[in-house]
Amino acid sequence: MAVRPVPRPRPRRDLGPPRSRTVRSGAVRTGALMLVLVLGVWLPSPGAAAQGWTWPLSPRPAVVGEWAPPAQRWAQGHRGVDLGAGPGATVRAPAAGTVSFTGFVVDRPVLTLDHGGGLRSSFEPVESGLAAGDRVRRGQAVGVLRGRGHCDPGACLHWGVRRDGDYVNPLQFVGALEPSVLLPVPERLRAAAQPSLSLP
């Protein structure tokens, strides 16, 4: 009867101490950072919705009334910007969309455009021959500035933009936001933030 040799155990390689949790958590953090960077390249930025927007008046108007949202949604404030223009000025669609409303709100003619993606523009006082459901392209004439109700004693175009029902600063869509202001707040902005009786 043949005797089989007993196999020798292989020597173990010294792999060193087990990896610490610190090394593993560092690898997880690095991986998460890489994922954020990749997504930042491929996903649209917050301002991507503004691509292709233009001013609703031509040439570029002066901003004569600042954006001054209220502290609470129900409070009074200025939920848009006022653009300098005279009666009869042509109002143009800042972006392609569909007319969602045209008519009077209280005593002012108002036009609202739905741009898709939860974005809507509203303009007053603007008379328009368009009807709800009409499609418009960017830069198309959509109405005429009528009346002086919003910026007495002068005339202006009030432009408001809503995103998913919440008012946002329209100037962000045309790349005209002013830099952030540290305290103390300039007098002109403090005055603009005071409650007004104007329509939103």
Side-chain angles (χ1 to χ4, degrees), residues 25-40:
S25 65
V28 170
R29 275 195 295 257
T30 302
L33 177 61
M34 292 301 294
L35 181 62
V36 168
L37 291 175
V38 169
L39 289 178

Side-chain angles (χ1 to χ4, degrees), residues 37-70:
L37 291 175
V38 169
L39 289 178
V41 170
W42 291 104
L43 293 180
S45 64
Q51 292 178 359
W53 283 55
T54 187
W55 290 89
L57 296 171
S58 182
R60 176 177 172 163
V63 177
V64 297
E66 303 279 351
W67 157 256

Side-chain angles (χ1 to χ4, degrees), residues 173-191:
F173 297 93
V174 288
L177 283 181
E178 292 184 356
S180 298
V181 178
L182 299 177
L183 295 175
V185 178
E187 184 58 39
R188 66 183 178 88
L189 294 181
R190 187 173 22 250

